[in-house]
Amino acid sequence: MSLKHLTTGSTCPPAVAGLLRCYNMRFCPFAQRACIILAAKNVKHEIVNINLKKKPEWFFEKSPLGKVPSIELDGQIMSESLVICDYLDEVYPDPPLHPADPWRKGQDRMFLEIFGKVTEAVYKVYFSRGDQDILNKGLTDIQAGLDPFEAELMKRNTKFFVGDKPGMLDYMIWPWMEIFLAAQRLGGERVSENRFPRLFSWMEDMKKDPAIKATYISPDSHYKYLLSNINGSPDYDMQV
Amino acid sequence: MSLKHLTTGSTCPPAVAGLLRCYNMRFCPFAQRACIILAAKNVKHEIVNINLKKKPEWFFEKSPLGKVPSIELDGQIMSESLVICDYLDEVYPDPPLHPADPWRKGQDRMFLEIFGKVTEAVYKVYFSRGDQDILNKGLTDIQAGLDPFEAELMKRNTKFFVGDKPGMLDYMIWPWMEIFLAAQRLGGERVSENRFPRLFSWMEDMKKDPAIKATYISPDSHYKYLLSNINGSPDYDMQV
């Protein structure tokens, strides 16, 4: 499929019966979550990219929330990244991505809520629009939001958060880690590997995972996209 | 147990091995979610009420987020209402509260995300602090946030959202419906039953459910509490 993000005035590509479709924006970390799980589970699917600044009219007819990611199957729509990923984990159980123990699964889901501080801080950076104070606050908040994850990985003392293989918690926080590396450059500071030694080593391990490889966007590309977004003209169709 | 909400300077009540503890605030709709599911599942538990304006020091040691609801079992803590309720549903499967079909379960979880508009609007009302514009905006937003739920109940054409018995989606939105009735009084307007005929009939059915009966707070009590909160002195220990 084309990389091109469909916009106002476009026509919705015809659906294929029984084929799962994922509405995506290539640099949206929430949408990337769904793409990672689709890759991890080897789910046959098609991607339709959506221009988020000029959403196609037909997209709102399909999806009242008008959000990416959304998945569509035989005319029905599901939105919200965590909901979609848990759904995929249920219907494509191989490999299982949540801990089998309900308490541990709950703990991981709680950590995803805690990760909201990082996603909010990244949002601040994306929409800082040249305001240096907002930008700096965003960068500081990202690091503060990551502190509990550094501590938790230390405490668990496992290669990945979920164990010896990446699981749902690993995959769900990953997209923001890619952006984190790019965002740090905006502050003109070297990334503090000293502050996050475990997370940096975890990132190296994550990058070897096939699902991450399949969906990976380099810090260079994130940085270029980030600049275009801060300037108010997000370059969705940028070559990476 | 005492209704009294524990505060700074208090001592943590000793835990009983193997007994689930739920940290609660009696008028917190998020905490009420956990209480409803504990009742629906007949889970043996104890309640410890927390004064949210003056949280006990020991509470932060136990729960870094310092939030209610939190559940504690043998020294371990879990926070976030939806995470807790899904955990309880997994370990106490009788009765099952999610639809068995994963797509329908995902749809219900998506609707819980959509319900965030109502919880935010109620928050606005709670903290309007005498600002009539914020208050009115909150009341308007609550109604706008409920419109998709009226439409969805109509579309599903079932007694409850989940079917012929209340399920997770029904229980998770319920606490705000109690508050909705109380909050409307602040606007000096009669609640528009015309706008939400299905939801009003659903509320009557919900009130007959044993788990709702066990945790129900009347509109009168919510109204009194709401006023105390708007005035900046939430009366946690109020008799209901």
Side-chain angles (χ1 to χ4, degrees), chain A residues 77 86 90 105 107 109, chain B residues 77 86 90 105 107 109:
Chain A
I77 285 274
D86 280 347
E90 260 191 79
K105 178 180 173 181
Q107 290 288 325
R109 288 187 63 201
Chain B
I77 284 274
D86 280 347
E90 259 191 80
K105 178 179 174 183
Q107 290 288 323
R109 288 187 63 202

Side-chain angles (χ1 to χ4, degrees), chain A residues 223-240:
Chain A
Y223 184 68
K224 270 169 64 187
Y225 172 73
L226 195 47
L227 287 182
S228 77
N229 201 76
I230 288 178
N231 294 335
S233 316
D235 189 2
Y236 300 125
D237 297 322
M238 192 179 86
Q239 291 296 325
V240 297

Side-chain angles (χ1 to χ4, degrees), chain A residues 65 71-73 76-80 82-83 86-87 90-91 100 102-103 105-107 109-110 113-114, chain B residues 65 71-73 76-80 82-83 86-87 90-91 102-103 105-107 109-110 113-114:
Chain A
L65 293 172
I71 55 172
E72 184 178 15
L73 188 59
Q76 288 210 289
I77 285 274
M78 189 186 291
S79 302
E80 296 298 335
L82 296 179
V83 173
D86 280 347
Y87 163 78
E90 260 191 79
V91 287
W103 184 273
K105 178 180 173 181
Q107 290 288 325
R109 288 187 63 201
M110 178 177 77
E113 295 289 333
I114 296 173
Chain B
L65 292 173
I71 57 172
E72 183 177 15
L73 187 59
Q76 288 211 289
I77 284 274
M78 189 185 294
S79 302
E80 296 299 335
L82 296 179
V83 173
D86 280 347
Y87 163 78
E90 259 191 80
V91 288
W103 185 273
K105 178 179 174 183
Q107 290 288 323
R109 288 187 63 202
M110 178 178 77
E113 295 291 332
I114 296 174

